[in-house]
Amino acid sequence: MTVVRLGYVAMSMNLQNCSPSQTMTFAQFSKIKDREAAIAKLEKIAKSNLQNCLRLLRHNEANDIKFFRFSSKLIPLANHDELHDWKYMNNLEDPLMDIAEFIADHPMRVGFHPDHFVVLNSQQPDIFKMSLKTLRMHELLLKGMNVNPEHRCVLHIGGAYDNKEKALEQFIHNWGLIPVSIQRMLMLENDDTTFHVNDALYLCEKLGVPQIFDYHHHLAYYEDLNWEPHWKRILNTWKNSSLPVKMHISSPKSEKEFRAHADYIDVEMFMEFLNTVKGETKELDCMIEAKQKDNALFQLVHDLKRYSEIEWIDKASFHIN
DNA sequence: GCCAGTCAAGTCCCG
DNA sequence: CGGGACTTGACTGGC
């Protein structure tokens, strides 16, 4: 028997004016003559983004959704070079504490997936340093929310730079340069163009990092299409984590645009996957990556209702036997 | 109010 | 070596 929880990403299609990713471009920032006023505006946006996160969490709670990925664009320009003296966390204690209190009252799994500008296997010191700075911001946000940062940030492995073997070894080399608290925060995901399941396993096993299995990426790029023999190893990368195994679920937009995400999740593909893993997997948190966000989750729940092997625990989690 | 173009960041591909 | 595509939601500017 497997307990499955469904989650979704960053924003809701059902809440009005609730973006957690409002922003200001650097060009816009520069146009404001009074630098202090410009920074105040950035802080106002960040605060509003966090308040919208809390609205999202309340919405999730109301729908039994206990698994959520925060936007990584909560603090606009946080890592911009020209703003290195800005203490972006300074005025965020209150909105972060509100989130902390809500999570304390309503236990749920939250995390991040910093975007593709975080590249840990880069040989360029500036890119590596900027990546660490971005990860440090994620760590501070988690701490502000009173969430243990362990295994809360999913990353891709990075670039191939014309030599994948070397790029993997570079990742291991750079790993040694990452502060331990940030190492502990990370999980690694197979991607759809460069580093497949076996590459991710190589690193995850070597470095003791949990692996996120992205089924859709796997179908787009693999060494062996047959992933089942590797599932035990993937589960095993989670053995030292206090959190359940986590994976990503999405469906191709079309045959032609296979890599792009569809609006919704193909329920048959999802069921086929679950039926394959249910024997050896006790708990599985499935992050739905679909254009229709929470609506894709609701639709998937609706589509799953016709399968008799599923027993519902609440509106967004179930047993499968 | 709507639509097209732009936006911090990286990598890859093409010429 | 330089420029554009990739991908993304939000925002700006033009109408």
Side-chain angles (χ1 to χ4, degrees):
Chain A
M1 186 185 78
T2 308
V3 175
V4 179
R5 286 196 299 184
L6 302 176
Y8 72 101
V9 175
M11 58 184 281
S12 164
M13 305 305 281
N14 293 287
L15 300 182
Q16 299 299 309
N17 300 313
C18 196
S19 168
S21 313
Q22 298 163 101
T23 191
M24 191 195 310
T25 65
F26 185 66
Q28 240 6 72
F29 176 87
S30 306
K31 272 187 211 157
I32 303 171
K33 295 244 161 51
D34 180 348
R35 195 164 185 275
E36 260 180 56
I39 285 178
K41 197 165 174 188
L42 288 176
E43 290 179 353
K44 200 174 154 187
I45 293 170
K47 197 170 173 180
S48 164
N49 284 340
L50 289 172
Q51 286 164 344
N52 284 344
C53 281
L54 181 54
R55 284 183 61 199
L56 286 159
L57 295 185
R58 290 184 194 283
H59 165 69
N60 295 348
E61 180 64 26
N63 290 284
D64 296 335
I65 299 166
K66 297 177 182 70
F67 181 33
F68 184 62
R69 178 196 300 166
F70 288 116
S71 162
S72 278
K73 298 185 172 80
L74 296 175
I75 310 180
L77 304 180
N79 294 332
H80 197 277
D81 263 344
E82 301 285 320
L83 281 151
H84 60 90
D85 57 326
W86 173 34
K87 302 276 184 290
Y88 55 78
M89 294 298 290
N90 267 359
N91 289 304
L92 300 181
E93 286 96 342
D94 288 347
L96 283 168
M97 193 46 71
D98 291 341
I99 293 174
E101 282 169 15
F102 190 79
I103 293 176
D105 290 343
H106 307 89
M108 57 179 78
R109 182 181 197 163
V110 291
F112 285 104
H113 191 340
D115 53 18
H116 64 289
F117 305 114
V118 173
V119 185
L120 289 182
N121 75 336
S122 178
Q123 288 205 57
Q124 292 176 252
D126 288 350
I127 291 170
F128 181 68
K129 248 193 254 173
M130 193 57 90
S131 299
L132 286 189
K133 202 176 165 192
T134 303
L135 290 175
R136 175 74 180 145
M137 174 190 75
H138 286 84
E139 186 186 19
L140 291 172
L141 286 167
L142 287 164
K143 286 187 168 164
M145 296 172 184
N146 216 5
V147 171
N148 178 355
E150 187 170 278
H151 306 153
R152 302 290 181 167
C153 272
V154 183
L155 289 182
H156 292 282
I157 291 164
Y161 311 108
D162 269 340
N163 183 343
K164 231 172 76 166
E165 296 303 311
K166 192 170 161 236
L168 284 168
E169 295 316 308
Q170 187 69 43
F171 190 100
I172 293 169
H173 175 262
N174 287 6
W175 186 257
L177 306 174
I178 302 172
V180 172
S181 69
I182 287 179
Q183 288 180 354
R184 271 204 297 261
M185 191 167 75
L186 302 178
M187 299 160 283
L188 291 174
E189 174 189 357
N190 59 301
D191 66 62
D192 56 358
T193 55
T194 312
F195 296 105
H196 50 53
V197 165
N198 293 10
D199 292 325
L201 268 173
Y202 171 71
L203 290 181
C204 287
E205 289 176 346
K206 204 168 184 94
L207 303 173
V209 176
Q211 175 162 347
I212 302 286
F213 179 58
D214 188 309
Y215 188 36
H216 179 196
H217 286 169
H218 171 70
L219 296 175
Y221 180 63
Y222 50 81
E223 193 171 60
D224 329 311
L225 177 55
N226 191 12
W227 55 274
E228 291 109 277
H230 306 300
W231 183 248
K232 261 203 172 78
R233 288 173 67 195
I234 292 169
L235 290 184
N236 206 41
T237 64
W238 286 89
K239 68 176 187 294
N240 293 320
S241 181
S242 55
L243 295 166
V245 176
K246 171 174 169 177
M247 66 171 298
H248 292 168
I249 289 286
S250 50
S251 296
K253 185 171 177 184
S254 64
E255 216 158 297
K256 227 179 162 182
E257 298 165 281
F258 190 87
R259 291 189 164 86
H261 286 168
D263 285 353
Y264 296 98
I265 302 299
D266 178 339
V267 70
E268 287 181 24
M269 175 173 141
F270 183 50
M271 279 305 290
E272 195 185 305
F273 178 84
L274 287 182
N275 277 317
T276 308
V277 302
K278 67 186 180 187
E280 46 194 346
T281 315
K282 286 201 182 80
E283 286 181 274
L284 189 62
D285 287 346
C286 296
M287 180 56 73
I288 290 166
E289 296 181 325
K291 291 235 179 230
Q292 291 299 315
K293 311 288 181 190
D294 54 340
N295 279 350
L297 188 154
F298 298 139
Q299 182 64 44
L300 179 60
V301 167
H302 174 266
D303 293 343
L304 287 168
K305 297 274 180 183
R306 64 182 150 97
Y307 291 87
S308 58
E309 60 266 49
I310 286 179
E311 249 178 81
W312 290 89
I313 299 166
D314 56 33
K315 284 186 271 181
S317 62
F318 57 87
H319 303 277
I320 178 163
N321 296 304

